[in-house]
Amino acid sequence: MFAVNLPNIITLLRILLIPVFIILYFLPSMWSFWITTGIFVFACLTDWLDGYLARKLHQESRFGAFLDPVADKLIVVVALVLLVQSYGTAIISIPALIIISREIVISALRELMAEYGSSKKVAVAYVGKVKTFLQMTAIAILLSQPHVITSSNYVVVLGIVMLYISVVLTLWSMFIYLNASWGVLHNAE
């Protein structure tokens, strides 16, 4: 059942901000870059805040444990899709595809491992936290700039480099989770 508490309300707010984020993203104004970046950064900060408050206030719940990663993945996937559409290049599309694909695979793996009672095998690892930080920082950088890639736009180049580093960590963390789960999955067959 849905536990009405501050951490879950913050998580729901993050999801409710997604349509606002999309609408503001497409406004034909220079300030829309900054507003949408601000919304994205706010969503990233509330990701940390809701988990912190849930632990600090002893308000952890199954609903919150389910909803928090869903909210995180939704905002990241929506932002990546918007960036792919705006930049219109393989330089952004390829890492976006890898990141989104990994999220689908790991979400399915976590669900499967929960069925086997081994969800701790796919608990978030440190490399996953670093990956998330770099990924969200790269996305925020790319959202904040006019969507043109040139060698003179160092901010966009930095965002792309960070996105590719996060892709390496994305694949590395996926390997860690798959490797940790292999014994359970192999023995289940």
Side-chain angles (χ1 to χ4, degrees):
M1 181 168 162
F2 173 62
V4 179
N5 59 39
L6 184 58
N8 288 344
I9 291 169
I10 292 170
T11 303
L12 286 170
L13 173 65
R14 198 159 66 243
I15 292 171
L16 294 174
L17 277 175
I18 292 172
V20 175
F21 173 73
I22 294 169
I23 290 166
L24 292 174
Y25 183 86
F26 285 109
L27 287 180
S29 171
M30 281 304 291
W31 60 266
S32 70
F33 292 122
W34 292 103
I35 298 290
T36 54
T37 302
I39 291 171
F40 184 80
V41 169
F42 176 77
C44 294
L45 293 174
T46 61
D47 174 31
W48 169 82
L49 180 63
D50 61 10
Y52 172 79
L53 289 175
R55 289 183 296 279
K56 186 79 170 169
L57 302 173
H58 304 289
Q59 294 182 344
E60 296 168 296
S61 67
R62 286 184 182 205
F63 181 74
F66 158 76
L67 193 63
D68 182 61
V70 170
D72 301 342
K73 286 167 186 38
L74 284 174
I75 191 73
V76 167
V77 168
V78 166
L80 285 171
V81 168
L82 292 174
L83 289 172
V84 165
Q85 180 270 332
S86 294
Y87 281 93
T89 177
I91 291 172
I92 302 294
S93 300
I94 291 169
L97 176 66
I98 292 169
I99 291 167
I100 292 168
S101 298
R102 181 263 189 205
E103 295 304 336
I104 292 168
V105 168
I106 297 305
S107 293
L109 179 65
R110 284 190 173 125
E111 186 176 323
L112 184 61
M113 294 304 287
E115 286 182 28
Y116 289 123
S118 298
S119 56
K120 289 195 187 307
K121 295 236 183 227
V122 285
V124 176
Y126 180 73
V127 69
K129 292 180 182 203
V130 174
K131 178 257 327 168
T132 299
F133 174 78
L134 280 173
Q135 190 180 91
M136 291 180 168
T137 303
I139 291 169
I141 289 170
L142 293 170
L143 285 170
S144 73
Q145 300 296 303
H147 303 125
V148 179
I149 300 172
T150 63
S151 59
S152 63
N153 190 341
Y154 300 114
V155 177
V156 170
V157 171
L158 173 65
I160 292 170
V161 168
M162 289 181 77
L163 189 64
Y164 274 85
I165 293 170
S166 77
V167 165
V168 170
L169 295 176
T170 291
L171 294 173
W172 182 13
S173 66
M174 183 174 77
F175 174 76
I176 290 170
Y177 297 138
L178 290 171
N179 190 44
S181 304
W182 180 251
V184 173
L185 297 174
H186 183 48
N187 291 334
E189 294 299 317

